[in-house]
């Protein structure tokens, strides 16, 4: 049986005691958000994160590969060239400029399909579905046996092709606003001081999701790859003016098996396993379900306690389902973002802010544009958390106390309180929430042109 899912291609210091006040009137965006002002001062690939621009400005700050020598600047147009640039030895700064669309699922003979990855492993989706049908296999244990072993081998074949690590002291940028990477599972893995900007990253589809009948009440299909992972103690990471999306290979177009969606995408940008000091700014997130997971598990064994400090500001979230973000343990500053969900969204809406174990979300001056069937009380979801701060946020232009709205509908055992444990200090200009939609309308995602490219 042919596997019916194509790999579609398309387009810091610790927190201080005082918070910068919300401005009384709308103002122009800060200089670092203006493509004209910024590129006029310095080529895109030579820019560094501004002082006090979120948690990634902590410590030594985030400079990426901005100081790279000429021989450490790589212009890449193919999977092979990008792989060589990432694998270049040495810890000296490097700059990588991406031209055009680099497609991860390719080999020497061209495009690779799910069938190609499964070749020689013995994996058959038809057989897998037969062997692990809950009516036959049961629901008390995860799949084991010949077909599960074959699935793992096929999955390893794909991982070897699409999983790419970005090293320390690297700046990777789109050479133009239409530069993109399709199908890759990018990682910042045990790396420090990385800048990622001006790129569209799309559709890190997993050919071989795993069935787990013990996941939830009805079982779930779980996929492996995020568009970008920040993992295993990585620090000082700045992700800016990029676009993360599943389009056009949307989850809504996937089949269902065993009554559950055949989930082929995982996260967009996840920060886990003791990583720290990350700033996400002026990005566009669209048409994706599980978006931003900050924190590995409820366990303290992953090194997350005292880490996972992330700033999320001036981003646009369009038709996303959940985890924007979902947090465990970390101090996460979420301000001046615009969350929009259309009535015809291809991604079912679940919630926006997920309050997990020991999470500390500070959500200020964000704007929500929602259809009438999404209640204000659903914007927060309880995941064993205890506290969350929500200040001066708006829903459809009206100021709403999101915490009070949540508590009004939550059961007694899931009530949340205001979090007095910290106040963000590392911020750029905070705009009133009413000004955010217009401010971000043409100013998020890839908008730059890198200098010196050819």
């Amino acid at each position: 049986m042919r596997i019916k899912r194509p790999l579609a291609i398309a387009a810091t210091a610790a927190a201080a005691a005082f918070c910068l006040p919300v401005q009384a009137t709308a103002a122009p965006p800060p200089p670092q958000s203006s493509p004209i002002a910024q590129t006029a001062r310095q080529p895109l690939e030579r820019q560094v994160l501004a002082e006090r621009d979120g948690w990634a400005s902590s410590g030594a700050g985030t400079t990426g590969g901005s100081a790279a020598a000429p021989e450490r600047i790589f212009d890449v147009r193919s999977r092979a060239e990008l792989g060589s640039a990432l694998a270049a030895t040495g810890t000296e700064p490097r700059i990588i400029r991406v031209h055009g669309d680099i497609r991860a699922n390719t080999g020497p003979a061209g495009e690779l399909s799910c069938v190609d990855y499964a070749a020689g492993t013995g994996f058959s989706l038809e057989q897998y579905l037969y062997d692990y049908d809950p009516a036959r296999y049961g629901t008390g244990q995860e799949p084991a046996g010949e077909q599960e072993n074959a699935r793992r081998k096929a999955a390893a074949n794909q991982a070897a092709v699409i999983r790419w690590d970005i090293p320390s002291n690297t700046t990777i940028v789109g050479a133009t606003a239409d530069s993109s990477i399709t199908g890759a599972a990018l990682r910042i893995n045990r790396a420090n001081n990385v800048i990622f900007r001006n790129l569209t990253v799309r559709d890190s589809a997993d050919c071989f999701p795993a069935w787990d009948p013990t996941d939830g009440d009805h079982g779930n299909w779980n996929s492996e790859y995020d568009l970008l992972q920040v993992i295993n103690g990585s620090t000082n990471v700045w992700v800016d003016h990029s676009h993360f999306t599943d389009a056009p290979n949307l989850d809504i177009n996937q089949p269902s098996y065993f009554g559950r969606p055949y989930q082929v995408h995982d996260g967009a940008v996840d920060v886990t396993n003791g990583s720290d000091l990350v700033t996400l700014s002026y990005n566009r997130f669209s048409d994706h379900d599980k978006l931003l997971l900050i924190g590995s598990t409820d366990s303290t064994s992953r090194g997350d306690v005292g880490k996972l400090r992330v700033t999320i500001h001036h981003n646009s979230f369009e038709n996303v389902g959940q985890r924007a973000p979902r947090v465990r343990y970390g101090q996460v500053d979420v301000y001046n973002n615009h969350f929009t969900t259309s009535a015809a969204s291809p991604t079912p809406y679940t919630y926006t802010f997920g309050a997990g174990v020991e999470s500390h979300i500070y959500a200020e001056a964000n704007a929500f544009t929602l259809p009438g069937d999404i209640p204000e009380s659903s914007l927060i979801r309880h995941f064993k958390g205890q506290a969350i701060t929500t200040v001066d946020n708006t829903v459809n232009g009206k100021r709403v106390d999101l915490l009070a709205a949540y508590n009004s509908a939550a059961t007694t055992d899931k009530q949340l309180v205001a979090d007095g444990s910290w106040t963000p200090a590392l911020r750029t200009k905070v705009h009133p929430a009413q000004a955010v939609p217009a401010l971000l309308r043409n100013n998020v995602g890839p908008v730059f042109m890198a200098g010196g490219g050819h």
Side-chain angles (χ1 to χ4, degrees), residues 1-3 7 112-126 147 149-159 161 207-208 262:
M1 175 179 176
R2 183 178 179 83
I3 300 177
L7 292 166
L112 294 172
S113 70
C114 298
V115 173
D116 294 321
Y117 293 126
T121 66
F123 176 77
S124 160
L125 179 58
E126 183 177 33
Q147 272 301 302
N149 293 337
R151 187 199 65 80
R152 292 174 181 268
K153 290 177 183 178
N157 289 342
Q158 185 183 19
V161 173
C207 280
F208 310 102
Y262 193 61

Side-chain angles (χ1 to χ4, degrees), residues 283 285 291-292 312-326 332-342 349 351-354 361-371 374 379 393-397 402 433 436-437 440:
N283 299 292
F285 297 93
L291 204 71
L292 307 175
I312 303 168
H313 76 83
H314 293 93
N315 301 279
S316 176
F317 298 84
E318 305 164 16
N319 293 331
V320 301
Q322 57 184 306
R323 301 184 182 179
R326 176 180 175 179
V332 180
D333 186 14
V334 187
Y335 74 93
N336 277 174
N337 302 283
H338 188 200
F339 301 87
T340 64
T341 299
S342 70
Y349 179 79
Y351 68 91
T352 298
F353 303 134
I361 299 172
Y362 200 107
E364 181 172 1
N366 300 286
F368 292 82
T369 302
L370 306 173
I374 296 180
L379 301 182
N393 300 283
T394 63
V395 178
N396 297 334
L402 299 184
V436 167
L440 300 186

Side-chain angles (χ1 to χ4, degrees), residues 51-355:
E51 293 183 4
R52 302 182 62 78
D53 191 351
W55 280 115
S57 66
S58 297
T62 301
T63 59
S66 60
E71 64 274 13
R72 301 276 291 179
I73 300 176
F74 304 90
D75 286 289
V76 300
R77 295 170 173 82
S78 67
R79 178 188 179 282
E81 289 179 347
L82 178 54
S84 295
L86 294 171
T89 59
T91 60
E92 299 85 1
R94 82 188 70 196
I95 289 171
I96 301 174
R97 295 185 293 227
V98 175
H99 297 258
D101 180 40
I102 294 180
R103 298 161 69 157
N105 287 284
T106 57
E111 193 96 6
L112 294 172
S113 70
C114 298
V115 173
D116 294 321
Y117 293 126
T121 66
F123 176 77
S124 160
L125 179 58
E126 183 177 33
Q127 188 64 49
Y128 189 91
L129 294 173
Y130 178 85
D131 288 354
Y132 303 115
D133 186 332
R136 179 178 298 102
Y137 187 77
T139 59
Q141 59 180 343
E142 296 179 20
E146 181 178 337
Q147 272 301 302
E148 173 60 15
N149 293 337
R151 187 199 65 80
R152 292 174 181 268
K153 290 177 183 178
N157 289 342
Q158 185 183 19
V161 173
I162 72 168
R163 182 172 275 161
W164 305 339
D165 286 356
I166 302 171
S168 297
N169 306 319
T170 295
T171 291
I172 179 168
V173 300
T176 63
D178 60 356
S179 296
S180 58
I181 297 174
T182 297
L186 299 169
R187 303 193 304 182
I188 300 170
N189 180 21
R190 296 186 176 88
N192 305 311
N193 191 30
V194 173
I195 295 175
F196 187 99
R197 302 182 73 196
N198 207 50
L199 275 163
T200 293
V201 188
R202 64 172 70 88
D203 190 22
S204 56
D206 187 346
C207 280
F208 310 102
W211 169 245
D212 183 355
T214 69
D215 183 358
D217 294 335
H218 306 289
N220 277 302
W221 292 96
N222 294 311
S223 56
E224 178 66 21
Y225 307 118
D226 302 327
L227 291 165
L228 177 65
Q229 288 183 306
V230 183
I231 56 174
N232 295 329
S234 296
T235 63
N236 291 95
V237 175
W238 181 29
V239 181
D240 175 75
H241 273 100
S242 292
H243 181 197
F244 298 89
T245 184
D246 293 341
N249 186 28
L250 302 179
D251 285 340
I252 196 172
N253 296 325
Q254 308 302 329
S256 293
Y257 299 120
F258 309 147
R260 303 297 295 159
Y262 193 61
Q263 178 65 258
V264 300
H265 301 107
D266 196 15
V269 179
D270 284 4
V271 182
T272 60
N273 293 285
S275 296
D276 201 16
L277 307 180
V278 177
T279 295
L280 309 177
S281 57
Y282 293 92
N283 299 292
R284 180 185 177 204
F285 297 93
S286 69
D287 299 318
H288 189 98
D289 184 21
K290 302 173 184 177
L291 204 71
L292 307 175
L293 177 64
I294 301 173
S296 312
T297 71
D298 291 350
S299 168
T300 60
S301 64
R302 300 287 187 92
D304 287 340
V305 178
K307 305 292 181 63
L308 304 175
R309 290 173 291 180
V310 179
T311 299
I312 303 168
H313 76 83
H314 293 93
N315 301 279
S316 176
F317 298 84
E318 305 164 16
N319 293 331
V320 301
Q322 57 184 306
R323 301 184 182 179
R326 176 180 175 179
V327 180
R328 298 177 176 99
Y329 297 107
Q331 292 180 328
V332 180
D333 186 14
V334 187
Y335 74 93
N336 277 174
N337 302 283
H338 188 200
F339 301 87
T340 64
T341 299
S342 70
S345 172
T347 307
Y349 179 79
T350 307
Y351 68 91
T352 298
F353 303 134

Side-chain angles (χ1 to χ4, degrees), residues 5-17:
R5 185 183 55 74
L7 292 166
I9 304 299
T12 207

